[in-house]
Amino acid sequence: MIDVVQAFDRSPITSLQADDATLLEKKLAIAFGRFKDRENWLKPYQRIEILHRLATLVQSQREDFGRLIAREGGKPRTDALIETDRAIDGIRSAADLLRTWAGHEIPMGLTAASTDRRAWTLPEPIGVVAAIAAFNHPLNLVVHQIAPAIATGCPIIIKPASSTPLNCVELVRLVHEAGMPEGWVQTFLPEDRGLAETFATDPRIAFLSFIGSAKVGWQLRSKLAPGTRCALEHGGVAPLIVDKTVDLERIIEPIAKGGYYHAGQVCVSVQRIYLHSKVQDEFIDRFTARVAALRNGDPLLAETEVGPLITPREADRVEQWINEAIAGGAKLFGGGRFSETTLTPAVLVSPPKNAKVSTLEVFGPLTCIFPSDTLDEAIAEANSLPVAFQSSIFTQDLQAAFHAAERLDASAVMINDHTAFRTDWMPFAGRHESGYGIGGIPYTMREMTAEKMVVFRL
């Protein structure tokens, strides 16, 4: 059995039956059989109807999903409801994309050998999708895997995080209530980690969608069956540059949101702040005061802004990393233990460059401030790690904005916004050790599609 508890106080919610090797084989065989049976592939209009009905069903349970996200994942309920709204929009986006989902013509007649021919491509589902989701967005992340699979016609088996499986299980139940035939969308709750690897590396899997730790993701990629494509979404150590031209009145709130949203448990949370020395003292005063005012507490309460980490062990780890940085000379503002699972938001000024908080993804309610004298110095430090995801710069200087945008090693550069900004239709991807492939509803649909060319000789 898999015991699911509330992230905040560790009180039991429910228990779910785990899947063993026999049940995994059965699910893989069913999914592979659905894909091989081309005569019974769902037509585009059927997939559109299912997605529209699914969006309506999730909308009708918006409050329930928000509460469930807060309970099992610990995200404050206000933010959990926003996640639910994003999930609903993502489902609708996948349906809308099908109206223009098409191949394209390949020009012929460009050489004598290609005359009297017409050629075009057809988009086809790539095959069975194995999806592995993370805990931090327990509804929206699985929507980013399930909705594209439904839209493109791929059978999908999805493994939610073991700490937050309930949103996924409920969503899949609604998928079937929306009219999806059995076998096209299935959950997988493995009884041990070894079985998860067996699942991802099975030769019947055509595409692996993995959201989680870099160590696990890259290891799985190295073991995929020949021909299996994949997309990996890991984390970063998101850098944010504060230029000397900023209006401090306008930037404190978005930076605080980007750093402490969901207690910093977001793969693009603001972690490293490179602060121009000209505005250093005033920024630190204003920013630390705002962080100190953030309200810790039970994520089910409307006033809570920062809830728990996913497990007490994670809270212990983040606390240890902070103490290590302090021992190395960093100055701490805030911090401390609110409860077994919850840390009080903290700011570290000038931690050692080789400290864990400076080089590794913290995934906790912490930001680190590094003073810098020039923009190029800040950019060089921002680019100094082998991870690269989203980054940002706050500035009122147009030249500085473009200078940073062109030189920051990142998949996305936010100008006058925090690093955690995302919409569900934009490309979302890590570079280097931070990921492989591209996420986002339309981009995942492309990843799950294989183009077939047809050449017709007149």
Side-chain angles (χ1 to χ4, degrees):
M1 302 297 291
I2 296 174
D3 296 323
V4 186
V5 302
Q6 292 193 151
F8 180 65
D9 60 10
R10 313 302 292 170
S11 62
I13 300 176
T14 190
S15 295
L16 300 175
Q17 182 67 50
D19 295 334
D20 60 15
T22 300
L23 197 50
L24 171 60
E25 172 56 33
K26 180 180 179 181
K27 291 183 176 185
L28 285 167
I30 291 172
F32 193 64
R34 294 290 183 271
F35 177 68
K36 284 297 185 180
D37 184 12
R38 287 177 173 250
E39 295 301 318
N40 287 304
W41 280 4
L42 297 173
K43 302 293 188 293
Y45 80 88
Q46 293 174 306
R47 288 178 258 142
I48 290 172
E49 289 174 353
I50 289 168
L51 288 166
H52 282 161
R53 286 194 291 266
L54 176 61
T56 300
L57 287 168
V58 176
Q59 179 71 57
S60 71
Q61 296 188 25
R62 177 179 181 268
E63 292 291 331
D64 294 335
F65 272 113
R67 180 176 175 80
L68 190 55
I69 292 168
R71 292 186 72 195
E72 68 171 352
K75 181 178 291 184
R77 197 173 182 199
T78 300
D79 292 328
L81 289 170
I82 293 173
E83 178 180 340
T84 305
D85 291 338
R86 287 179 56 188
I88 294 164
D89 184 68
I91 296 167
R92 289 175 176 153
S93 292
D96 292 344
L97 284 163
L98 278 176
R99 295 193 174 277
T100 55
W101 200 251
H104 59 280
E105 184 179 359
I106 306 297
M108 290 287 143
L110 305 180
T111 63
S114 64
T115 57
D116 298 328
R117 289 170 175 83
R118 298 290 183 271
W120 61 92
T121 63
L122 301 172
E124 290 188 340
I126 191 172
V128 179
V129 173
I132 298 176
F135 75 85
N136 54 333
H137 304 288
L139 177 61
N140 198 38
L141 288 183
V142 298
V143 163
H144 271 257
Q145 295 168 314
I146 289 176
I150 294 173
T152 55
C154 291
I156 181 171
I157 304 172
I158 183 163
K159 177 202 162 313
S162 58
S163 55
T164 57
L166 300 181
N167 279 273
C168 179
V169 170
E170 178 61 14
L171 181 70
V172 171
R173 187 188 71 79
L174 293 183
V175 166
H176 292 113
E177 187 176 330
M180 176 62 75
E182 290 293 330
W184 285 93
V185 180
Q186 303 176 79
T187 58
F188 174 53
L189 306 175
E191 60 186 7
D192 60 63
R193 289 188 176 183
L195 206 53
E197 181 177 311
T198 301
F199 159 61
T201 58
D202 188 278
R204 289 165 290 189
I205 297 299
F207 182 76
L208 169 66
S209 171
F210 178 88
I211 305 172
S213 78
K215 179 180 178 181
V216 175
W218 290 112
Q219 184 180 44
L220 286 177
R221 180 175 178 262
S222 71
K223 297 180 179 181
L224 293 180
T228 302
R229 284 167 36 185
C230 71
L232 310 177
E233 184 182 308
H234 307 316
V237 188
L240 180 149
I241 296 172
V242 177
D243 186 39
K244 62 185 177 181
T245 63
V246 294
D247 179 353
L248 290 174
E249 191 68 35
R250 294 186 175 188
I251 74 171
I252 298 300
E253 195 62 34
I255 296 177
K257 185 66 176 178
Y260 300 93
Y261 164 70
H262 196 14
Q265 296 171 114
V266 180
C267 59
V268 286
S269 288
V270 175
Q271 184 171 324
R272 294 176 291 158
I273 301 173
Y274 294 100
L275 178 63
H276 196 283
S277 54
K278 183 179 178 181
V279 295
Q280 176 179 332
D281 292 341
E282 187 178 359
F283 176 88
I284 291 173
D285 287 345
R286 286 174 178 251
F287 185 65
T288 55
R290 178 65 187 100
V291 172
L294 291 169
R295 296 184 295 271
N296 276 111
D298 186 337
L300 292 173
L301 301 178
E303 64 269 21
T304 297
E305 295 174 284
V306 179
L309 298 188
I310 192 62
T311 64
R313 184 175 64 180
E314 286 298 292
D316 293 340
R317 175 189 60 78
V318 174
E319 196 170 45
Q320 289 167 6
W321 287 15
I322 291 173
N323 291 334
E324 175 198 71
I326 294 170
K331 184 176 182 180
L332 175 68
F333 292 86
R337 202 74 175 237
F338 181 84
S339 71
E340 180 190 18
T341 61
T342 309
L343 298 178
T344 302
V347 180
L348 286 173
V349 176
S350 299
K353 290 184 179 181
N354 63 349
K356 292 184 179 68
V357 298
S358 305
T359 58
L360 302 175
E361 185 177 29
V362 173
F363 233 56
L366 171 71
T367 57
C368 301
I369 294 176
F370 303 88
S372 63
D373 292 322
T374 68
L375 177 58
D376 283 331
E377 178 188 332
I379 291 171
E381 290 297 325
N383 292 344
S384 64
L385 299 178
V387 291
F389 214 133
Q390 298 194 161
S391 61
S392 78
I393 178 171
F394 280 83
T395 182
Q396 294 189 78
D397 183 334
L398 188 60
Q399 183 174 344
F402 279 102
H403 186 82
E406 292 170 356
R407 288 163 176 78
L408 282 167
D409 186 8
S411 59
V413 178
M414 310 302 163
I415 299 173
N416 293 329
D417 210 342
H418 58 71
T419 60
F421 172 78
R422 182 186 185 183
T423 64
D424 298 291
W425 57 87
M426 76 186 208
F428 191 71
R431 289 184 175 182
H432 312 312
E433 294 180 13
S434 290
Y436 182 82
I438 304 177
I441 297 293
Y443 301 90
T444 300
M445 286 176 62
R446 291 175 195 169
E447 297 269 17
M448 293 181 180
T449 300
E451 277 199 314
K452 174 186 286 182
M453 187 173 69
V454 177
V455 181
F456 189 90
R457 186 172 185 178
L458 303 178

